[in-house]
Every structure is written in structure tokens, then in C-alpha cells.
Amino acid sequence: MKKIILYVVAILFYNSSFSQVGIGTDNPQQELHIAGTNSTIRIESLNSTNEPLLNVSPKLAPVYVTGNGDLTLNPPGFTTGGGVGTNEPLNFLISIPNFVPNGPFGDGTVVANDATITSATNQIVSVPFSSPQEALIEVRYAMTIDLSDQFLPAAAASTFNDISARTVRCYFYIDLNSDGLDPTELSKRYGLHGEAYTSYGQGSVGYAFIHGVGYGNIPPGNHSLVFFGETADGNNRDTYVGFGGSSDYLKIRIYN
């Protein structure tokens, strides 16, 4: 037993003398050097079991460095549950590529405005997301739009070939708690953006593009962004617009 104690003391003295510790290497290059292409560090005090309010699996939790150099999810000066401005610092990005279904022919979700009407509106897609606390969200979206004066979705359709103008608009609502849009939620449109197109016996094959950005306040919980598309044209005109058929992306920034 005495020999073992002396051996441990000798190792501690050796390491403290050089002030460098190597894990997986005999030649540490820093005070702590963890070698290996698959090496990781685990701090169980920061996991979802010990920090359930701040480490919400499967999302990555932000780690902060205090003035003393300590790694923590709960920096001094902040408390949980106090509302915007007093909660833990929160800033993470949800990125959703191709958030609109492409449809059978790559036309996405179609808003049909045939010759019997002059305007039409249709829901494009509903996108669920969650926030661990009360927060401000920034939503940025972009999607292609396929325009035709023939019925969509279709394997092939012509571009506009009449002397006329059309408008296309896109926006979203915030469905708090994902329980359906109520009158209050329907009264607030976010990220509204519009485009206008004219034609004179000509056109080009391919996709146009539409994009927008909006901001809103949300409580903690599970919510949804509900996107809508609109079209408007003249009398006796056919206008079909496919939203998100070729490419689209959605980015939701959540922070307090």
C-alpha cells in the first residue's frame, strides 16, 4: 500500500511540473490535450437530465464561459422563468430546406385562379416548431413560383401569352400552440411579399422567385407557421401559381 501511494504522488508531481496533461497522447501541446479523431468531452452536469430547462434534447444547448473560465449553461446574472429580458440567453436557428412539398410534377402547392374569378387564396404548408421559453422569432423564407395560364399541377404547361398583368403574394400566420388559427391569429399576417407579372404574347419557361421576412412574439410551447399564397388577375383570365415546386428554404431564428 505504501508503494502505491508513493507512486501516485510521484505522478501528480510529474504532471504539475510540466503543467500539461495529455489524454491519448504522450506529447501534449497545451495544458489539456485530448488526442484522437473521434475524441469528445462529456460534462454530465450540463446534460438534459441535470439541466432540463436549458438543455432540451435533441436540440444543442448553448454553453457559456464565465469570467472565471467556467463552462456553464446558466451564467451568473440570469434566471429562468422571468419572462423576456430575464430568462436565459436564447439564440438558436431552425433551418428547414425544401419545406414545401414538391408535388407530383414539381409545381409545389398550387393556387388556382381560373377564368370565373379574379383572385384566389390557398394554404401552402404548415410548419411546426417549438420554443423552450417566451421569445421573439425571426422568420425568413424563400420559394420558387411556377406561373402558367394552363391548369397546374401538370407535367407541362405554357407560360402567360396574353396581354395582361398578374400579382402573386405570399405570407404566413403564427398558429400558437398548433391548435388551429383563431380570429386573432388570422388578423396578423407576417412576412408579406408580392410580385407582379405582365405578358405580351411571350414568356419564358422556368421558375420565378418570392421571399419574405417577419417577426413575432411567442410563448413557450409547440407552435406552427402557416403559409398562404394569393393570386389576382383580370376578368376572364386563367392564372395558376405553384409555390415551392423547385426549391425553397425556411429559417426560424428564436431568441429573447
Side-chain angles (χ1 to χ4, degrees):
M1 179 62 70
K2 292 182 179 179
K3 292 183 179 179
I4 294 176
I5 293 175
L6 291 174
Y7 181 70
V8 172
V9 170
I11 291 178
L12 293 176
F13 177 77
Y14 176 84
N15 286 340
S16 63
S17 299
F18 286 89
S19 299
Q20 290 180 325
V21 176
I23 299 176
T25 177
D26 295 328
N27 184 28
Q29 302 300 306
Q30 298 293 338
E31 283 77 7
L32 175 62
H33 183 170
I34 302 176
T37 57
N38 297 317
S39 298
T40 58
I41 298 175
R42 173 171 293 184
I43 305 175
E44 291 190 354
S45 64
L46 305 183
N47 65 18
S48 58
T49 300
N50 295 301
E51 286 282 3
L53 295 178
L54 305 177
N55 190 335
V56 182
S57 181
K59 301 183 181 69
L60 297 177
V63 178
Y64 303 92
V65 181
T66 69
N68 294 325
D70 300 328
L71 299 180
T72 177
L73 298 180
N74 188 18
F78 295 92
T79 59
T80 58
V84 173
T86 60
N87 280 4
E88 293 292 337
L90 181 70
N91 187 350
F92 63 87
L93 177 67
I94 303 172
S95 183
I96 308 175
N98 196 32
F99 72 103
V100 181
N102 291 337
F105 303 106
D107 293 317
T109 301
V110 175
V111 177
N113 182 1
D114 62 28
T116 64
I117 55 178
T118 58
S119 64
T121 303
N122 190 26
Q123 179 177 318
I124 299 172
V125 68
S126 179
V127 182
F129 72 98
S130 63
S131 176
Q133 66 181 56
E134 182 181 359
L136 171 71
I137 61 171
E138 175 187 16
V139 178
R140 294 182 178 271
Y141 70 89
M143 65 183 79
T144 52
I145 49 176
D146 193 11
L147 304 100
S148 178
D149 60 2
Q150 294 183 347
F151 181 85
L152 294 178
S158 68
T159 56
F160 302 139
N161 58 9
D162 53 12
I163 305 173
S164 185
R166 275 92 168 174
T167 62
V168 179
R169 302 203 306 175
C170 188
Y171 51 87
F172 64 90
Y173 299 107
I174 301 177
D175 180 6
L176 300 177
N177 301 315
S178 294
D179 56 0
L181 293 167
D182 60 34
T184 300
E185 293 165 345
L186 285 171
S187 68
K188 301 176 182 179
R189 296 180 180 181
Y190 300 89
L192 176 63
H193 186 80
E195 300 284 350
Y197 299 89
T198 60
S199 61
Y200 183 70
Q202 60 184 358
S204 60
V205 177
Y207 294 93
F209 214 72
I210 195 168
H211 61 89
V213 58
Y215 299 84
N217 292 307
I218 58 170
N222 300 315
H223 314 295
S224 296
L225 302 179
V226 187
F227 288 83
F228 277 78
E230 290 183 354
T231 71
D233 57 11
N235 293 327
N236 302 315
R237 303 295 183 184
D238 286 309
T239 303
Y240 295 88
V241 180
F243 289 83
S246 177
S247 63
D248 47 88
Y249 71 84
L250 172 64
K251 297 183 181 296
I252 308 170
R253 175 77 69 183
I254 299 181
Y255 51 110
N256 60 0

